[in-house]
């Protein structure tokens, strides 16, 4: 079992603490939170050991789980890496791309592993169909959330849209060619709703919409590729795969057949995989333990987190240029 400590005991930090405490792959050593009242409350309520400084916690563990505000990710990661510790960093990896690249370089220098907490990669609806997404040419995503003051210190692109950016980059095997985006700050000082059109060098286009001022929650993605349509509902954890193949000579009574203007007939059929219930946060933490113990590449690498951040800032820049 790997000894692990958590930096940050806010809303998400407490979830990480609980899951790490019940994991068979980690020994939870304790946590550090700079807010004394909150740290005492969490320690008293749950019985987790409270450390007085970041450096004391880092010295006591093998893995540092960074669940602090984004602005401090860089400094926390660098201190942990310099101490030779593996780092799990909640998304986004850092506040700037330059900071993220510094984290990558230092992790290589100290030969430690790092993973970024892009949790939707572990959503069972996405993992059930990921291997069926092959060379998508059009992607449409909607990530809509009811207003929550937590997270409004950053643009909606870094708060919500970055989840979909990372998922898209994981299935489109091509470089981003251009980005065109617009956004509106309705309640916050930064954009609360944003739409981006991401074009890739291979011709794929992704149309991505995120809002944190919606009347209802929605987290859906649709992938279109030759002879297939794939939908993923991250919220309800369901997926659908609609495929097309050449129609049989003699269709069955219940076969769905389409015929185009040239007379070509295609059969539509459903290939919906089984979605197994899981805890995506626990999965991402435990697969990181596996990567450390087996010396393999983490599922969401530091480089992956950096690319998602890079594209997010391309979107933010495009929005700002329209002001």
């Amino acid at each position: 079992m790997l000894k692990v400590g958590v930096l940050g005991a806010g809303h998400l930090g407490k979830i990480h603490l609980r899951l790490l405490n019940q994991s068979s792959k980690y020994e939870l050593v304790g946590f550090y939170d700079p807010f004394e009242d909150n740290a005492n409350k969490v320690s008293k309520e749950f019985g987790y050991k409270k450390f007085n400084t970041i450096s004391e916690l880092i010295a006591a563990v093998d893995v540092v789980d960074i669940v602090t505000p984004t602005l401090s990710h860089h400094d926390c990661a660098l201190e942990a890496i310099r101490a030779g510790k593996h780092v799990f960093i909640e998304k986004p990896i850092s506040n700037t791309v330059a900071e993220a690249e510094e984290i990558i370089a230092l992790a290589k220098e100290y030969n430690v592993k790092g993973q970024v907490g892009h949790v939707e990669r572990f959503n069972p609806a996405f993992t059930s169909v990921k291997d069926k997404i092959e060379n998508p040419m059009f992607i449409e995503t909607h990530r809509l959330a009811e207003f929550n003051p937590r997270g409004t210190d950053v643009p909606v692109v870094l708060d919500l849209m970055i989840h979909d950016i990372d998922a898209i980059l994981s299935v489109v095997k091509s470089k981003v060619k251009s980005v065109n985006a617009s956004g509106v700050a309705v309640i916050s000082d930064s954009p609360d709703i944003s739409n981006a059109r991401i074009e890739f060098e291979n011709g794929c286009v992704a149309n991505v919409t995120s809002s944190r001022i919606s009347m209802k929650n929605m987290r859906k993605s649709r992938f279109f590729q030759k002879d297939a349509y794939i939908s993923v509902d991250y919220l309800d954890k369901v997926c659908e795969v609609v495929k097309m193949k050449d129609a049989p000579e003699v269709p069955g009574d219940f076969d769905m057949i389409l015929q185009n203007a040239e007379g070509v007939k295609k059969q539509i059929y459903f290939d919906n995989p089984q979605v197994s219930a899981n805890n995506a946060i626990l999965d991402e933490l435990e697969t990181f333990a596996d990567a450390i113990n087996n010396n393999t590449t983490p599922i969401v690498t530091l480089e992956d987190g950096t690319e998602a951040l890079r594209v997010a800032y391309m979107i933010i820049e495009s929005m700002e240029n329209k002001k």
Side-chain angles (χ1 to χ4, degrees):
M1 291 172 73
L2 294 163
K3 291 183 177 179
V4 64
V6 177
L7 296 182
H11 173 74
L12 190 55
K14 282 189 279 193
I15 295 172
H16 279 230
L17 282 163
R18 175 174 56 82
L19 294 172
L20 289 167
N21 195 42
Q22 70 186 45
S23 171
S24 61
K25 302 193 177 187
Y26 289 102
E27 177 192 337
L28 177 62
V29 174
F31 74 98
Y32 169 78
D33 191 283
F35 299 101
E36 185 99 10
D37 288 349
N38 184 58
N40 289 333
K41 183 182 175 186
V42 170
S43 180
K44 186 177 178 182
E45 187 175 343
F46 301 103
Y48 308 134
K49 181 179 178 182
K50 173 177 70 83
F51 283 80
N52 294 319
T53 66
I54 290 177
S55 53
E56 281 179 22
L57 174 77
I58 290 172
V61 301
D62 307 308
V63 181
V64 179
D65 181 11
I66 300 169
V67 203
T68 59
T70 305
L71 285 171
S72 62
H73 285 185
H74 171 258
D75 289 348
C76 291
L78 261 51
E79 186 173 344
I81 293 167
R82 288 195 179 108
K85 313 299 182 177
H86 306 288
V87 289
F88 183 98
I89 310 172
E90 196 38 63
K91 68 86 197 163
I93 178 172
S94 60
N95 195 44
T96 67
V97 174
E99 286 181 354
E101 289 175 339
E102 194 178 348
I103 292 170
I104 290 172
L106 202 67
K108 286 179 179 173
E109 181 185 338
Y110 282 83
N111 195 29
V112 298
K113 294 191 182 295
Q115 181 164 316
V116 182
H118 284 287
V119 71
E120 294 291 40
R121 290 263 215 118
F122 299 83
N123 187 299
F126 182 69
T127 57
S128 296
V129 295
K130 189 173 185 289
D131 62 345
K132 298 179 186 296
I133 303 173
E134 300 166 354
N135 198 30
M137 295 311 290
F138 180 68
I139 301 168
E140 189 158 43
T141 75
H142 288 87
R143 185 169 294 264
L144 315 177
E146 296 174 6
F147 184 73
N148 182 344
R150 190 170 55 85
T152 53
D153 55 329
V154 295
V156 70
V157 176
L158 295 176
D159 183 26
L160 297 178
M161 189 184 283
I162 197 164
H163 283 293
D164 295 309
I165 295 169
D166 172 69
I168 289 166
L169 294 178
S170 76
V171 296
V172 180
K173 304 305 179 189
S174 178
K175 290 182 178 177
V176 172
K177 178 182 172 185
S178 65
V179 164
N180 193 342
S182 58
V184 182
V186 180
I187 297 175
S188 317
D189 294 331
S190 59
D192 295 302
I193 184 165
S194 173
N195 173 262
R197 177 184 169 90
I198 306 169
E199 293 191 33
F200 293 86
E201 289 180 355
N202 69 351
C204 177
V205 171
N207 189 27
V208 191
T209 301
S210 287
S211 167
R212 59 184 175 206
I213 50 168
S214 294
M215 299 302 287
K216 64 175 184 177
N217 293 323
M218 178 192 289
R219 303 205 304 258
K220 289 184 178 178
S221 292
R222 294 184 292 168
F223 303 86
F224 299 85
Q225 60 197 42
K226 184 170 174 56
D227 293 336
Y229 155 78
I230 299 160
S231 72
V232 176
D233 188 327
Y234 294 99
L235 196 59
D236 291 336
K237 296 180 173 53
V238 294
C239 56
E240 184 177 52
V241 181
V242 182
K243 287 193 171 182
M244 298 179 72
K245 62 182 178 183
D246 292 336
E249 288 289 326
V250 182
D253 291 343
F254 299 104
D255 288 348
M256 296 176 65
I257 308 295
L258 286 181
Q259 182 173 328
N260 65 14
E262 288 75 38
V264 177
K265 293 181 179 179
K266 292 279 187 177
Q267 178 185 349
I268 299 174
Y269 68 102
F270 295 89
D271 180 20
N272 294 346
Q274 184 72 33
V275 178
S276 302
N278 75 327
N279 186 308
I281 297 176
L282 181 61
D283 278 4
E284 67 178 354
L285 291 165
E286 291 198 333
T287 59
F288 185 47
D290 293 339
I292 295 167
N293 288 325
N294 301 325
N295 195 25
T296 54
T297 303
I299 291 174
V300 185
T301 63
L302 298 175
E303 288 81 0
D304 291 340
T306 302
E307 280 310 302
L309 188 65
R310 194 188 313 276
V311 175
Y313 272 113
M314 289 171 71
I315 292 167
I316 291 168
E317 186 179 342
S318 177
M319 288 193 297
E320 289 176 345
N321 289 341
K322 290 185 170 63
K323 288 180 180 177

